[in-house]
Amino acid sequence: MDSSIAACPTGKRGRNSSVILTDRLCEKRVAKRTKFYDRKCPGLYVSITTAGVATFSIKFTDRQTGKQRTGWLGVYNPETFTVEDARSKVYGLKGMGGEGLAETFRDQKAAKTKRGKTVAEIIDERITWMKTPVKKPDGEMRPRLESWENTASHLDRFIRPASARNWPWRSPSTTSPRSRTTSWQASSASPP
């Protein structure tokens, strides 16, 4: 008789099959990414990659939207973040209530997006860099990239519209290609 416990039937993916998560299970090597749901703490699961990295997450229902959401808790480390640490974190989050739980992860997502630059800011910095006058081999001061207007036009037409939901859009009617140098310099914070 086989005494090993299988999380799901061989060859088939179990529907949210749950096991009692242990530190030993988090150190297990897997052939493909695998998720193990904790039987002791509903909502907690660990995702183990083929590289052996085990990441704890919580699955919950956002009461405001009615949709299921996932929140990242941390990466398994035998010294600093174990299964018991993940469980206590989940119990603490659940103690805040459903709305508090969802709000915590919304705040984390907002803070993460605040830290990064928008595509528009990167485009503005690139255009400023391209048009900065530098001394050329012939001794004249000319833009770093002499065809910068062409490149700026391509960035405006193809890249900015694709990322429009991530930045405040300046309509083409208010920014003509010739007035670009003054309007962008005035609106960007500081050159790179």
Side-chain angles (χ1 to χ4, degrees):
M1 186 158 107
D2 188 15
S3 63
S4 65
I5 299 173
C8 55
T10 308
K12 292 187 177 184
R13 182 175 158 244
R15 176 105 179 131
N16 288 355
S17 59
S18 62
V19 296
I20 296 175
L21 288 183
T22 61
D23 290 339
R24 189 170 182 180
L25 182 70
C26 293
E27 294 168 357
K28 180 181 174 181
R29 289 289 187 176
V30 293
K32 65 178 188 174
R33 183 173 163 233
T34 309
K35 291 181 182 178
F36 294 104
Y37 291 83
D38 191 20
R39 190 175 295 151
K40 280 187 175 179
C41 180
L44 173 66
Y45 70 92
V46 65
S47 175
I48 305 172
T49 64
T50 54
V53 178
T55 307
F56 292 105
S57 299
I58 180 174
K59 199 169 261 198
F60 64 97
T61 302
D62 187 346
R63 289 186 183 165
Q64 189 176 15
T65 61
K67 294 185 179 181
Q68 195 173 50
R69 298 197 40 199
T70 301
W72 184 81
L73 298 173
V75 177
Y76 171 77
N77 185 320
E79 285 89 35
T80 59
F81 198 70
T82 63
V83 173
E84 283 306 315
D85 297 327
R87 281 188 188 125
S88 61
K89 198 169 184 179
V90 169
Y91 290 136
L93 287 167
K94 285 185 174 184
M96 294 173 20
E99 188 55 41
L101 178 65
E103 196 62 38
T104 301
F105 288 110
R106 275 191 221 115
D107 291 346
Q108 280 181 0
K109 191 174 182 180
K112 190 175 181 181
T113 54
K114 266 188 180 177
R115 276 184 251 134
K117 290 183 178 181
T118 63
V119 173
E121 290 169 339
I122 294 169
I123 289 172
D124 290 341
E125 287 178 7
R126 178 68 177 172
I127 291 171
T128 303
W129 178 85
M130 289 187 299
K131 67 182 178 181
T132 304
V134 294
K135 194 170 196 169
K136 296 289 182 167
D138 62 2
E140 286 187 38
M141 293 290 285
R142 291 194 303 269
R144 185 173 274 131
L145 182 64
E146 293 187 33
S147 62
W148 72 268
E149 289 174 324
N150 249 356
T151 306
S153 174
H154 284 278
L155 291 171
D156 278 341
R157 288 184 290 138
F158 301 118
I159 306 300
R160 280 192 202 266
S163 66
R165 60 180 176 259
N166 295 333
W167 61 284
W169 173 254
R170 279 184 230 103
S171 68
S173 61
T174 59
T175 308
S176 69
R178 297 293 172 217
S179 67
R180 180 180 298 123
T181 55
T182 57
S183 68
W184 282 6
Q185 285 174 341
S187 67
S188 65
S190 62

